[in-house]
Amino acid sequence: MTLRGYDGIICNDGTARKKKGKRSERGGRKASGLKLFATMMAELLFEIISVLLLTRLEPFLLLGNGSFYATNYSRGRRYIVQLDEVLMGFVAELDEEVFAHSKRVQSLALLLGERMGLTSVELNQLGLGAFLHDIGKTSVPAKVLNKEAPLTPEEWELVKAHPKVGFDLAESLALSDSVKRIILEHHLWADGTGGYPQETGCTTPSLLSQITTVADVVDAMTSHRPYRQALPLSTCLNHLVENAGTKFNADIVAVFRALVSQGLLGFERPPSLQTGNPAITNGLTVGRR
């Protein structure tokens, strides 16, 4: 392999040998040698970073569900390849729990989407958008995300800004509109009457955004947080049912409810679905999503 600007040949073993023939000026050879060294080191560093990121990202970009994993394994790897290098850097900077949460949200969102009959293109968009839905939280200090005490109004504003921050990042990297909408809209109510941010330009969130919202709420409620213990699945399910048609898409809630009743989510099956459960109140807090 011959590199432009270098009067020599890079061998397969990584060594360099000079070509026969007329030599360049001494200064030119020195400059070319430095340029070659810098290029080789940059490529080596890129490979090291790529391996480290792929090792961390790959398990979180795949569903892990038997049939879906088998049919989407290669597509999952392409997610990684297609991610802009800058975006990969932002993903790697996510708080550890936010990163794990994003993986779980992606897994559940893909399962819901598959059950709802989404196309392979829609599933790809959903998978990437669900995984990146909290990418804007790279702008929120870890001490705020992991604070045990109630947040101050100023801290809440920081948290509530993460969908717009994530959207701006995704837009700067020319991600698809479907992915950008998931990132921007995953805190909006299904009927468009509540949630944040309100300045989205859309009356209601997209279907892919609404699927991500349900998956996000489920994981937020059933996971341990610094400010509270994990809530029972029955509490979470009742919250979804109570707010189906307003905060949450009723069809998506029905699909999730069916998955729970069939024992397909790895949770304990709730003994019953009581719409009058006293644990479900209008003031129930889902958490710092």
Side-chain angles (χ1 to χ4, degrees), residues 62-259:
L62 303 173
L63 177 56
N65 171 277
S67 61
F68 196 84
Y69 184 97
T71 57
N72 288 274
Y73 179 78
S74 61
R75 256 199 308 272
R77 291 185 66 87
R78 283 203 293 274
Y79 283 153
I80 301 173
V81 173
Q82 291 172 359
L83 285 180
D84 185 277
E85 181 182 353
V86 177
L87 182 55
M88 290 174 69
F90 275 99
V91 170
E93 291 178 7
L94 282 173
D95 175 84
E96 183 176 353
E97 175 51 34
V98 175
F99 188 87
H101 163 72
S102 298
K103 172 261 181 181
R104 296 190 299 266
V105 170
Q106 182 201 44
S107 296
L108 179 54
L110 285 172
L111 183 57
L112 290 168
E114 188 181 40
R115 286 303 180 101
M116 296 183 70
L118 297 186
T119 66
S120 60
V121 172
E122 290 171 328
L123 287 171
N124 280 333
Q125 295 170 339
L126 175 62
L128 184 57
F131 180 72
L132 297 176
H133 76 283
D134 271 345
I135 192 68
K137 284 187 176 178
T138 54
S139 66
V140 182
K143 65 180 181 180
V144 174
L145 294 173
N146 300 315
K147 186 177 180 180
E148 296 184 10
L151 298 183
T152 66
E154 294 77 16
E155 290 170 334
W156 259 118
E157 289 304 312
L158 285 175
V159 173
K160 290 170 65 176
H162 80 269
K164 185 62 168 61
V165 172
F167 174 84
D168 290 342
L169 173 62
E171 189 168 51
S172 71
L173 298 172
L175 296 183
S176 72
D177 288 342
S178 296
V179 172
K180 289 188 293 186
R181 287 192 66 178
I182 291 172
I183 295 171
L184 182 65
E185 300 173 346
H186 69 278
H187 280 283
L188 290 177
W189 291 13
D191 65 0
T193 63
Y196 64 87
Q198 284 296 311
E199 304 81 16
T200 62
C202 299
T203 55
T204 58
S206 70
L207 177 62
L208 301 187
S209 299
Q210 294 180 49
I211 293 173
T212 302
T213 297
V214 171
D216 186 24
V217 167
V218 170
D219 188 73
M221 294 186 70
T222 59
S223 298
H224 174 74
R225 295 296 174 95
Y227 47 88
R228 63 152 172 77
Q229 296 294 320
L231 299 173
L233 178 61
S234 56
T235 299
C236 172
L237 190 51
N238 275 286
H239 177 62
L240 293 175
V241 172
E242 285 285 313
N243 293 281
T246 52
K247 292 183 178 181
F248 310 114
N249 181 301
D251 294 333
I252 301 171
V253 172
V255 171
F256 177 74
R257 189 176 185 179
L259 290 172

